[in-house]
Amino acid sequence: MKNTKMNLNALFSFLVISILFSSCSSPKNSETGEARVRQVVDTVGFAHLSWQMDSVLYRINKDFGSELDAVSQSPETAWRAAICPHDDYTYASWLYPAVLKNVRSKTVIIFGVAHRALNFELEDRIVFDSFDAWQGPKGEVQVSPLRDKIIQQLPKELYVVHDSMQMIEHSVESMLPFLQMQNPETEIISILVPYMSSAKMDTIAGQLATAIKSVTSADQLVWGKDFSILITTDAVHYGDEEWGGSNYARFGCDSTGYRQAVALEHEIIQNCFTGELTDEQPNRFIGYTVKDDDFRQYKWTWCGRYSVPLGLKVALKLQQEENATPLAGVPLAYETSISQKHIPVDDLDMGRTAIATPHHWVGYAAVGFK
């Protein structure tokens, strides 16, 4: 829900047609062995060229150095799981490196949002891609060979390989420039999470954690060191303007309403992501964000209302399978698109994909799990 629903609906047909006929959707050439590379879809909100990313990082460090220092973790800290926003770099800016700095593994399993799942009638199954690599600012980001091994171990009714959905979804690609800049050898597995009931999450989480444990153990990979789980979500989408005709301003759009909305955000972070991660916390998050009588509908508008709980449930199941130290959540930062200075990007051939005003703003949470 990074762009407004109205703008996304208007652009959807154009994007699908354009992308499906681009080189990134062509099958691997059986004669030349040419790789299939998933191209960047959002070149406005995100940096997609090397020189852009160099400038973005310089400006983040220049404008938010003290904020980054305040949340800096020890050099030994390596998140086994983490939650990171995916909004425009000009808005979310320093929250990306705040959490991604301590994602130190080569292989990153990314649980992304499936914003346009309704257009493909996708639900109750996780969504993989079949690409060989994703385009990054410093060249291609390879897809981990573990992806296909994991898929082979999953019951077929629990997943789908759907390149068209993966090609138009912007949430996963937002992470890649930051990950690639700090580790050029980064490899990823993209898993999009569409509409999904809590019961189906439990089923998928158990099977997926077992598959991850099997394939990583076979290669003697260490969780946190060699592979990690990364969950992407923007927090609340708030306001009464340019949300495709919807009104998401539960508390109103004045200063009092803003404070009440942000207070609820901090309550969610405290109750769902802080301290030892338990089975109750992902379900509590679902209770905050999804309507009790219809799992397809928002109660509180986090776009990651499915990616967050499924990712955390997988992490918990994996912890149990490995008999590992309990995961401990460390909230690093919370900001909104109107709470802080925006880094300038217009001179970088970048911009904004939505407005940021008291009547239309987005929240961002950065959380690491040791």
Side-chain angles (χ1 to χ4, degrees), residues 303-317:
C303 59
R305 64 196 188 279
Y306 310 113
S307 61
V308 170
L310 180 64
L312 294 181
K313 286 173 181 283
V314 170
L316 279 165
K317 295 292 185 183

Side-chain angles (χ1 to χ4, degrees), residues 75-129:
E76 297 80 23
T77 299
W79 306 132
R80 285 180 286 168
I83 296 173
C84 183
H86 57 248
D87 205 355
D88 297 347
Y89 289 178
T90 187
Y91 295 149
S93 63
W94 70 278
L95 281 84
Y96 282 99
V99 64
L100 296 179
K101 178 181 179 181
N102 293 94
V103 177
R104 302 188 182 280
S105 60
K106 176 182 178 180
T107 301
V108 186
I109 303 170
I110 305 178
F111 287 86
V113 177
H115 287 92
R116 309 309 301 166
L118 181 62
N119 294 87
F120 297 109
E121 299 182 345
L122 292 171
E123 65 175 55
D124 277 342
R125 292 183 293 173
I126 51 176
V127 182
F128 291 94
D129 68 275

Side-chain angles (χ1 to χ4, degrees), residues 28-103:
K28 180 182 287 188
N29 188 305
S30 59
E31 296 180 359
T32 66
E34 182 179 353
R36 296 180 67 241
V37 181
R38 193 275 194 188
Q39 301 297 325
V40 181
V41 67
D42 184 351
T43 59
V44 176
F46 308 143
H48 64 287
L49 301 173
S50 179
W51 65 269
Q52 291 175 319
M53 199 60 199
D54 288 338
S55 296
V56 165
L57 288 172
Y58 172 80
R59 292 171 187 187
I60 288 174
N61 287 316
K62 174 177 175 290
D63 292 345
F64 295 102
S66 58
E67 287 85 350
L68 287 168
D69 289 342
V71 302
S72 180
Q73 305 296 299
S74 69
E76 297 80 23
T77 299
W79 306 132
R80 285 180 286 168
I83 296 173
C84 183
H86 57 248
D87 205 355
D88 297 347
Y89 289 178
T90 187
Y91 295 149
S93 63
W94 70 278
L95 281 84
Y96 282 99
V99 64
L100 296 179
K101 178 181 179 181
N102 293 94
V103 177

